[in-house]
Amino acid sequence: MDRMTKPSRRRFLTASAVAGGGFAVAWAVPGGLLEALAQTTMPAPAGAAEVGIWVAIHPDDTTVVRIARSEMGQGTLTGLAQLVAEDLECDWSKVKAEYVPPEVNLANRRAWGDMSTGGSRGIRASVDYVRKGGAAARMMLVEAAARNWGVPAAECAAANSVVTHGPTGRRLRYGELATAAAKLEVPKDVPLKPQKDWKIIGQGVKRLDTVEKLTGAQVYAIDVQLPGMLNAAIAQCPVFGGRLAGFDADAIRDRKGVRHVLRVDDATVAVVADTWWQAKTALDALPIRWDEGPNADVSSASIARFLAEGLDAREAAVGHRIGDAPGAIAGAARRVEAVYATPFLNHATLEPMNCTAKVSDEGVEIWVPTQNGDASLAAAAEAGGVPLSKVKVHKLHLGGGFGRRGFQDYTRQAVLIARQVPGRPVKMIWSREEDMQHGFYRPITQAKMTGGLDAEGNLVGLHMRISGQSILASIAPSRFSGGIDRLHFQGLLADEFGYMAIPNLLIDHAMRNTHVPVGFWRGVNHNQNAVYLECFIDELAHAAGKDPLEFRRKLLAKNPRHLAVLEAAAAKAEYGKPLPAGIHRGICQNYGFGSYTAAVAEVSVSDQGKLKIRRIVAATDCGYALNPDQIAAQVEGSFVYGLSALLYSENTVEKGRIVEGNFDGYEVMRIEDMPKVETVIVPSGGFWGGVGEPTIAVAAPAVLNAIFAATGKRIRSLPLKHHDLRAA
């Protein structure tokens, strides 16, 4: 336990940073959590009593639930509070939530568990231990009441923030019991409520953060104002891998409000001023010399050629093999082949990267929008040159995350700047252009799909060759398993792949890494892989002369849960019912982040080639449905993200740099583009799946397959804005 209590900054930074993305590694909740940490607490809110480590209760029964994960619009704050409240048996109308400070978590041997929020793990990876926290607090409150009355605890029951003595009907509120309960030992054996008794889990309760957002009271990191605060704007070398050769600080030193012109690191310069706009305009006027390095001639065209070489390369890592796919395809009655491609994509969070930092003799203090409090803590310690124990982190809600804020480059930069302006808080904000052109992009990939059909139109062999960039190669090469980046095969490995009735299968990956940094983009590699697989399955169905749904049914025969979700989407969409003239359907399915998803899209395409996505029916089986209203909201939001990527969004490269600098070039869908989305929840139970990311993967292929039905054209590269959709 000593190594967990006092990790090195470097080890903690590395582990935390990887855990912040879409790939679950590093820290686990310590074994024997309740026993080992029975007396662990964090400061209770004024007037409240700490009952265990997850709950603080005020005299008026207001219940504060501690949250270790991050809220970025996805509803995790409310969902985790629901889990605690269920087994606590408290009055939901009196529940509030607050973040656990990362430094408190670390100082107490990570008693509140993993702080990373990514990979749709915020709820599903927390269920057991947060529910036990609520159950333990309830047992302590019941025991306090029983002792007050001098009766056995077995004669008492808790409900709606009240403990009642069954034989006499005596009642005590949680607020009256909390102080006494806080003095009791945390129970070791903590049974959880069975599903049949759930009252809050499964209900569409209102979110805890809605009012503050609607009234403008919610403070995001970009809103932070502190006494004596300065503001910083930065510029980074426009070519990835380039360096800062120099700058002429004297040229702007006399501009109004400018306090400092600083070298931040080998590739970054900052201007610090009284206001951010003063810093930004001075930075724009600053003469900067860049050494653009060896990547200054790279372009989207050269990257495309590089990836194309991988489609037929002899060297490739095999992710999934069944039988002899090349042999089966060679002997097939009919061979079908297609090449698909998807571009780099930026996370495009509404709130650009920012962080406020203060460095003093006492240590480092940061105000940060982060998907991983552990990683922010470690990055601040590393940049500030202080022990982890000398860092204080103020976590704030995120104005969008999508995987980008698991990386901590912006936290590190803010601390490096503040370290050169000791004693004063400095708020660093990236401009939109800086944010757009210095991200960790969704990897660019291509895929060569080859299938073989027999004389009856049955699929006898499928080969899927992916050529593209690896996320893990740059950020966590130690996570390769047997030379394989499993992350690149999301949705395609044996434990996720639905079409296990294919008798001969080969899925492999030719790694082709570029100089452009890549990272976890909402849905990660499921999005590209689902386009390639589901659109090609559709191609094979049409080549076989079979209905796309019927074709899939046979291939999904060995995976009833995949099939059940597909059937649910088809039933809701009335798949067998003829559509009005001019409207056409597309269908697809996927499994990812622990959940099964499927979609049916209905589209029309005018004679002029104008696409209208009219309706999408989306089915999801996430096991247990914690909050159906929030699930529906997440599904709808995921289609906004996924359809934006389908229709408009891309990042291109010219002269080694990202071309698109703002939303005029990096387009996203608008309200007029948004179809009606109908969510079908198929709660089969028995597991907890993700919600925020899984349905993104079925957005694009469902629409692409519908476009083919409407026009007879196969679109195999994205975004659609580059294609003429007039009927073939």
Side-chain angles (χ1 to χ4, degrees):
M1 292 294 288
D2 288 342
R3 286 186 297 166
M4 184 170 288
T5 305
K6 299 179 180 179
S8 71
R9 290 196 308 270
R10 175 64 62 186
R11 185 171 70 87
F12 190 77
L13 177 63
T14 302
S16 300
V18 178
F23 193 59
V25 299
W27 306 98
V29 179
L33 175 67
L34 294 175
E35 300 94 321
L37 301 168
Q39 302 304 316
T40 300
T41 61
M42 62 179 279
E50 200 84 13
V51 186
I53 66 171
W54 292 98
V55 175
I57 300 176
H58 289 262
D60 65 355
D61 297 338
T62 297
T63 301
V64 180
V65 176
R66 299 284 163 57
I67 305 296
R69 309 285 184 168
S70 298
E71 175 59 51
M72 47 192 148
Q74 82 282 37
T76 293
L77 188 88
T78 300
L80 290 172
Q82 278 184 260
L83 292 170
V84 174
E86 180 65 72
D87 286 274
L88 178 59
E89 290 281 9
C90 66
D91 181 347
W92 178 256
S93 69
K94 296 184 178 181
V95 170
K96 300 181 182 298
E98 70 175 16
Y99 287 129
V100 177
E103 67 275 11
V104 174
N105 191 38
L106 179 63
N108 289 291
R109 297 181 299 184
R110 305 188 79 251
W112 288 269
D114 188 1
M115 305 201 92
S116 169
T117 311
S120 293
R121 298 191 311 272
I123 299 294
R124 65 187 174 114
S126 306
V127 173
D128 187 67
Y129 63 89
V130 300
R131 286 189 63 195
K132 285 183 177 179
R138 182 196 74 241
M139 293 173 68
M140 295 164 71
L141 290 159
V142 169
E143 178 63 28
R147 293 188 183 189
N148 180 281
W149 294 321
V151 300
E155 294 181 359
C156 304
N160 208 36
S161 292
V162 174
V163 178
T164 302
H165 181 229
T168 65
R170 285 178 290 182
R171 295 157 55 92
L172 284 170
R173 295 181 297 101
Y174 279 8
E176 298 172 302
L177 294 166
T179 300
K183 299 175 182 178
L184 301 178
E185 182 179 354
V186 177
K188 295 181 175 63
D189 183 16
V190 185
L192 300 177
K193 291 172 63 177
Q195 182 180 359
K196 66 181 180 62
D197 294 334
W198 289 350
K199 301 172 185 174
I200 299 176
I201 294 176
Q203 301 302 310
V205 301
K206 294 180 180 179
R207 290 179 55 144
L208 299 177
D209 55 350
T210 300
V211 173
E212 287 79 6
K213 290 178 178 178
L214 291 176
T215 61
Q218 181 68 59
V219 175
Y220 293 89
I222 201 169
D223 302 322
V224 166
Q225 295 293 328
L226 299 169
M229 187 177 78
L230 298 174
N231 295 268
I234 68 162
Q236 300 168 86
C237 184
V239 178
F240 303 111
R243 298 170 63 86
L244 174 62
F247 53 88
D248 182 6
D250 290 338
I252 64 167
R253 203 178 299 279
D254 293 334
R255 291 178 68 102
K256 183 179 179 179
V258 171
R259 299 299 186 97
H260 306 279
V261 185
L262 306 172
R263 178 184 288 269
V264 181
D265 55 33
D266 289 344
T268 310
V269 60
V271 174
V272 180
D274 292 335
T275 70
W276 186 80
W277 188 245
Q278 290 172 338
K280 172 65 169 64
T281 53
L283 181 65
D284 291 342
L286 177 67
I288 305 173
R289 299 186 308 280
W290 301 111
D291 174 1
E292 296 184 347
N295 301 312
D297 294 327
V298 177
S299 68
S300 289
S302 67
I303 291 173
R305 291 192 297 270
F306 180 45
L307 267 61
E309 294 170 0
L311 297 178
D312 296 306
R314 297 184 64 180
E315 295 290 328
V318 176
H320 196 177
R321 190 200 306 268
I322 300 173
D324 178 13
I329 293 169
R334 182 173 182 184
R335 176 189 176 99
V336 181
E337 185 174 295
V339 174
Y340 288 80
T342 54
F344 289 117
L345 289 174
N346 189 282
H347 298 82
T349 61
L350 184 60
E351 178 191 28
M353 298 305 108
N354 70 93
C355 177
T356 299
K358 180 180 179 181
V359 178
S360 66
D361 292 341
E362 286 73 40
V364 176
E365 191 170 5
I366 59 172
W367 292 258
V368 62
T370 178
Q371 288 184 238
N372 189 340
D374 289 337
S376 295
L377 174 71
E382 189 81 11
V386 300
L388 292 166
S389 60
K390 293 292 186 180
V391 177
K392 184 175 183 179
V393 179
H394 302 270
K395 279 179 57 178
L396 295 105
H397 285 3
L398 287 63
F402 313 124
R404 176 61 178 91
R405 285 186 160 102
F407 295 94
Q408 299 297 319
D409 50 333
Y410 60 101
T411 303
R412 180 183 59 82
Q413 290 169 342
V415 175
L416 288 173
I417 293 168
R419 193 174 179 180
Q420 299 180 66
V421 190
R424 296 192 69 172
V426 180
K427 179 162 67 174
M428 179 207 69
I429 303 175
W430 288 18
S431 67
R432 176 59 62 190
E433 289 74 18
E434 202 69 28
D435 191 89
M436 191 66 72
Q437 296 173 330
H438 289 87
F440 289 85
Y441 302 86
R442 194 183 82 175
I444 188 170
T445 62
Q446 296 180 13
K448 185 175 183 179
M449 310 293 295
T450 311
L453 301 169
D454 66 16
E456 287 73 41
N458 298 306
L459 181 58
V460 296
L462 174 65
H463 180 196
M464 180 175 182
R465 163 63 65 86
I466 306 169
S467 176
Q469 196 156 353
S470 163
I471 298 173
L472 295 186
S474 59
I475 69 167
S478 64
R479 301 307 301 180
F480 274 64
S481 176
I484 297 174
D485 177 358
R486 290 178 59 87
L487 192 66
H488 215 90
F489 292 97
Q490 282 184 311
L492 305 175
L493 298 175
D495 57 347
E496 294 184 325
F497 191 71
Y499 300 117
M500 293 300 288
I502 299 174
N504 299 283
L505 176 72
L506 176 61
I507 303 176
D508 51 15
H509 170 219
M511 186 164 60
R512 293 292 184 272
N513 295 326
T514 77
H515 75 299
V516 178
V518 293
F520 308 103
W521 190 93
R522 186 179 181 186
V524 201
N525 291 312
H526 280 283
N527 300 315
Q528 307 96 298
N529 293 345
V531 167
Y532 305 151
L533 179 63
E534 286 300 308
C535 289
F536 191 65
I537 289 291
D538 218 65
E539 292 200 45
L540 291 168
H542 285 278
K546 298 183 179 181
D547 176 80
L549 174 58
E550 290 297 330
F551 193 73
R552 286 175 170 84
R553 280 172 173 157
K554 185 173 182 180
L555 298 179
L556 292 171
K558 293 184 178 181
N559 283 290
R561 273 185 161 148
H562 288 77
L563 182 57
V565 171
L566 184 67
E567 297 285 13
K572 179 67 174 178
E574 298 181 296
Y575 187 87
K577 182 179 178 180
L579 289 167
I583 300 178
H584 302 268
R585 290 190 184 100
I587 194 167
C588 67
Q589 66 81 39
N590 190 61
Y591 173 88
F593 303 101
S595 291
Y596 304 82
T597 57
V600 177
E602 296 176 2
V603 312
S604 62
V605 181
S606 72
D607 292 341
Q608 293 74 39
K610 182 173 176 57
L611 171 69
K612 177 65 176 178
I613 308 171
R614 297 181 173 274
R615 178 191 183 207
I616 293 180
V617 175
T620 182
D621 179 3
C622 53
Y624 297 113
L626 173 58
N627 187 322
D629 289 353
Q630 193 55 40
I631 292 172
Q634 279 292 283
V635 170
E636 292 163 10
S638 69
F639 275 100
V640 175
Y641 214 63
L643 294 177
S644 291
L646 167 70
L647 296 170
Y648 304 117
S649 303
E650 66 175 336
N651 285 112
T652 58
V653 179
E654 191 63 42
K655 296 182 178 179
R657 67 202 74 204
I658 296 294
V659 173
E660 295 74 22
N662 212 312
F663 288 111
D664 58 341
Y666 189 88
E667 300 173 77
V668 297
M669 71 183 300
R670 306 188 179 200
I671 291 176
E672 65 180 10
D673 300 318
M674 187 65 187
K676 177 182 180 181
V677 176
E678 299 175 32
T679 301
V680 182
I681 300 174
V682 188
S684 62
F687 65 96
W688 293 88
V691 172
E693 294 173 271
T695 49
I696 299 177
V698 293
V703 173
L704 289 170
N705 291 338
I707 289 172
F708 173 78
T711 66
K713 283 188 172 181
R714 284 289 175 192
I715 307 300
R716 300 189 181 100
S717 64
L718 301 181
L720 284 177
K721 68 180 182 181
H722 296 309
H723 296 275
D724 180 356
L725 297 185
R726 287 175 292 182

